[in-house]
Amino acid sequence: MAPPTSMSRSRPVLKYLCSRQASLRCTYSSAAAVLTQSSVQPVEIPPESPKYIYIPQPPQRQAKYSPSQKGVLPKPRKIFDSKRVNKASDKYLAAVAPEPTTQRLTEHLPSEQKDYIDYKSRQSSLRRQNLKEGLTSLRDRKTRIDSKVAAISARKQSDYQRRIAAPEREDDRLTRPSVLDALRPGKLSIQPDPNLPAILGKKKQNNEAVMKAKKDERKYAFHTLYMNAKDFIVTENDLDKKIREEFDKEFYKKNPGRGIWDEQGIPETTKWMTSEEMIGASVIERNKAQMETSRDRVQRIAEELTGGKM
């Protein structure tokens, strides 16, 4: 067998190079068509690029990547408020950025100071103009946005009313389950209760009784306030007088820290009331201990009978 010549040895290499060049031309043309459709000059894709090997994309649209916004935006200020003055009016602009009332004389000043004063005057005029244009543009934008929102709202309302007033569709009518005519909405009527007048009369009487009780309670509270008004402490002299009455007693000075039982005596017991001492005493002496309690009880009974504080 004859040895292979150089031409036969180089044939597989040439075949590989031709196929590689064709692949590169195909890859380059397809990638260039995808990446640089609008460019005139072709872009050379290096082998280390992920776009070097063409991968066909699916026909559906790719989801757009929207990066998350860091932080929180501040709430926009409400510049034009219906409860405040219109900030785009001439009156407001004249009050916020008034025109100069006097004109400075610069004839006798040096040229440097004159140029500085003219520069400041131009800056002030520019600030007034920018403020006026800014407020006017913001008002126009607000008016445009409000009219757009109102138009959208009116269109939605009209569409809603049209859908409500629209008749029933034919397919809904044909596919609706069978319902008796007497049970359809709008055909039922609520039967009146035969005992309704008696129930309403009873509720009215209960309401009148509750309102009368509230009225009597308010009247009693007002009368009690009127009777107790004479004991109110309204001045410093009244306060000093009350303090002297409560704390300047001789009993509390001689016996500090004692209670009311030491002053008025302990309550009566059954043993003391049935003792020989009380049996042989007179009626006045026997009932002397109960005079204070009886007086308070009689006063409370009189207040209940008269309907007011005494």
Side-chain angles (χ1 to χ4, degrees):
M1 183 176 180
T5 61
S6 61
M7 189 65 182
S8 62
R9 286 196 302 267
S10 62
R11 187 170 299 170
V13 178
L14 292 175
K15 185 177 181 181
Y16 171 77
L17 291 176
C18 293
S19 62
R20 180 62 177 169
Q21 291 176 0
S23 176
L24 288 176
R25 284 196 299 271
C26 180
T27 304
Y28 169 75
S29 61
S30 59
V34 173
L35 297 177
T36 59
Q37 294 179 359
S38 61
S39 61
V40 178
Q41 298 294 335
V43 179
E44 186 176 355
I45 301 175
E48 62 271 11
S49 175
K51 300 291 184 179
Y52 185 71
I53 301 176
Y54 172 70
I55 300 176
Q57 298 291 332
Q60 64 265 25
R61 296 180 59 186
Q62 300 295 325
K64 294 183 179 180
Y65 172 72
S66 57
S68 60
Q69 184 71 28
K70 302 295 183 180
V72 179
L73 294 176
K75 185 178 180 180
R77 296 176 57 187
K78 192 175 182 180
I79 301 177
F80 301 100
D81 194 353
S82 59
K83 298 180 181 179
R84 298 181 180 179
V85 65
N86 185 13
K87 294 186 178 181
S89 61
D90 297 336
K91 181 179 180 181
Y92 178 81
L93 292 174
V96 173
E99 297 288 340
T101 56
T102 59
Q103 188 70 24
R104 295 185 62 179
L105 300 177
T106 59
E107 288 80 5
H108 61 283
L109 296 177
S111 60
E112 296 180 357
Q113 295 185 7
K114 186 185 299 184
D115 295 341
Y116 178 75
I117 292 174
D118 294 340
Y119 169 74
K120 286 294 184 182
S121 178
R122 290 195 302 271
Q123 290 293 105
S124 301
S125 178
L126 184 61
R127 283 195 296 269
R128 287 191 293 269
Q129 181 181 358
N130 292 339
L131 178 63
K132 182 177 180 180
E133 291 179 357
L135 291 175
T136 305
S137 61
L138 287 175
R139 181 192 58 186
D140 296 341
R141 186 178 69 175
K142 181 178 182 301
T143 304
R144 184 170 62 255
I145 293 175
D146 291 348
S147 60
K148 184 178 179 181
V149 171
I152 294 174
S153 178
R155 185 171 67 253
K156 288 183 178 180
Q157 289 291 335
S158 62
D159 184 68
Y160 174 72
Q161 295 296 334
R162 180 182 59 81
R163 290 175 182 272
I164 289 179
E168 186 180 11
R169 296 190 309 178
E170 187 66 17
D171 56 345
D172 291 341
R173 188 185 68 82
L174 295 175
T175 57
R176 187 177 56 212
S178 300
V179 181
L180 296 178
D181 188 50
L183 297 180
R184 289 182 181 178
K187 299 293 184 179
L188 301 178
S189 60
I190 301 176
Q191 299 297 330
D193 190 358
N195 300 326
L196 184 60
I199 295 174
L200 294 178
K202 185 177 181 181
K203 289 183 177 295
K204 183 178 180 181
Q205 292 178 2
N206 296 339
N207 185 35
E208 292 177 353
V210 171
M211 297 303 295
K212 185 176 182 303
K214 290 183 178 180
K215 184 178 180 181
D216 295 341
E217 185 178 358
R218 287 195 297 268
K219 186 185 297 184
Y220 178 78
F222 182 75
H223 187 267
T224 304
L225 178 64
Y226 175 76
M227 294 300 297
N228 293 333
K230 59 183 179 181
D231 298 330
F232 288 171
I233 299 175
V234 294
T235 60
E236 294 184 0
N237 296 331
D238 297 341
L239 179 60
D240 296 339
K241 182 180 178 181
K242 190 66 176 178
I243 291 174
R244 285 194 298 269
E245 291 178 358
E246 294 294 334
F247 297 98
D248 291 354
K249 293 182 179 180
E250 296 295 332
F251 176 80
Y252 293 107
K253 290 182 179 179
K254 294 179 182 178
N255 304 288
R258 307 298 293 273
I260 192 173
W261 285 6
D262 298 317
E263 182 181 0
Q264 299 181 3
I266 61 176
E268 299 133 353
T269 61
T270 306
K271 182 179 179 181
W272 179 78
M273 294 174 66
T274 57
S275 61
E276 297 180 358
E277 202 177 297
M278 288 301 299
I279 293 175
S282 61
V283 178
I284 297 177
E285 294 178 354
R286 190 181 306 158
N287 297 329
K288 186 177 182 180
Q290 300 179 358
M291 288 179 61
E292 296 295 333
T293 305
S294 300
R295 186 183 299 111
D296 295 338
R297 291 175 179 174
V298 170
Q299 183 177 358
R300 287 199 297 270
I301 293 172
E303 290 176 356
E304 292 293 336
L305 293 176
T306 56
K309 192 74 174 177
M310 297 182 63

